[in-house]
Amino acid sequence: MADRHNRDLDRQPAPLPEPLNVKCVDAHAHIEIITNSAPDAPEIGKVLADAKSVGIDRIVQVGYSAEQSEWGVKLAEHWPNVLAAVALHPNEAPVVADLEADLSKIEELSTHPRVRAIGETGLDFFRTEPALQERQKYSFRRHIELAKSVNKALVIHDRDAHRAVLDLLTEEGAPEKTIFHCYSGDAEMARECIEK
């Protein structure tokens, strides 16, 4: 595993695409995938400069664990064109050692001025076995409540759980700003989201 990880870090980046016609925001980035460095490392500056050169002038670093969300907040503190979202990913929430401690950490991070969203959270029934789905739903409910209490957008990861996600949003009351990351629902689900 370590050898594969080292090979991945040695890979050359893909060539940059043609610049966009207008400046855009990358609303869902995982910069930690391309570097295992400290949030203020110079190679992150290179990644951000490359993004800016093709029209991506701001980036939202999205959290998936308590530890990685904290890294994202530090990243946003150091780089002015980066903002953060914090959360426990639906695949992370059912398997963490201390769910309450991790949720408390996300709650603490959520009030940071560089945090603009709570995410990515939601439900993923593709990878989560039925025995752990209630824990996943509990975590999602807590994230919905948190997004509303701090008045920040909710970024939802939904995989093979469309009806359950919509039902929980209805039960809990969706935050005013709700984003379906990597939307995979059908047209009927889109209509329901628009109506609500």
Side-chain angles (χ1 to χ4, degrees):
M1 182 73 148
D3 288 339
R4 192 185 93 205
H5 178 71
N6 290 336
R7 278 196 314 270
D8 288 348
L9 292 177
D10 291 336
R11 284 185 309 186
Q12 294 300 312
L16 294 176
E18 291 295 317
L20 299 165
N21 293 330
V22 296
K23 291 184 190 293
C24 292
V25 175
D26 180 343
H28 195 108
H30 290 285
I31 294 174
E32 79 287 348
I33 290 173
I34 55 174
T35 178
N36 63 352
S37 303
D40 60 351
E43 59 262 29
I44 293 174
K46 167 82 168 92
V47 169
L48 298 176
D50 285 349
K52 191 169 188 170
S53 77
V54 296
I56 306 296
D57 69 340
R58 287 175 290 156
I59 293 175
V60 179
Q61 170 69 19
V62 176
Y64 61 82
S65 70
E67 178 182 71
Q68 192 278 325
S69 291
E70 188 169 28
W71 185 89
V73 170
K74 290 176 183 171
L75 183 78
E77 286 175 337
H78 188 77
W79 303 99
N81 57 332
V82 176
L83 296 169
V86 297
L88 301 181
H89 189 282
N91 292 325
E92 181 83 4
V95 297
V96 296
D98 188 341
L99 180 58
E100 291 304 323
D102 283 13
L103 288 169
S104 292
K105 183 65 178 174
I106 297 303
E107 188 174 325
E108 175 189 322
L109 293 169
S110 73
T111 60
H112 192 285
R114 302 291 295 165
V115 171
R116 301 300 167 84
I118 306 304
E120 68 190 280
T121 183
L123 301 175
D124 187 328
F125 293 167
F126 178 77
R127 286 198 178 105
T128 303
E129 59 187 78
L132 296 175
Q133 289 177 6
E134 285 308 311
R135 195 168 185 206
Q136 194 177 74
K137 289 177 183 177
Y138 171 77
S139 176
F140 185 33
R141 287 180 195 277
R142 292 280 303 273
H143 283 85
I144 293 168
E145 292 168 16
L146 178 59
K148 292 191 296 188
S149 73
V150 295
N151 194 30
K152 295 185 179 176
L154 181 72
V155 180
I156 297 173
H157 169 102
D158 165 20
R159 188 168 185 196
D160 290 355
H162 302 325
R163 184 76 261 151
V165 166
L166 291 174
D167 289 348
L168 270 174
L169 285 171
T170 299
E171 288 170 27
E172 298 297 318
E176 184 180 332
K177 300 170 200 141
T178 301
I179 301 161
F180 276 83
H181 153 62
C182 198
Y183 181 80
S184 63
D186 59 14
E188 185 57 38
M189 181 178 174
R191 278 190 283 279
E192 187 172 342
C193 290
I194 291 167
E195 287 169 9
K196 294 183 177 182

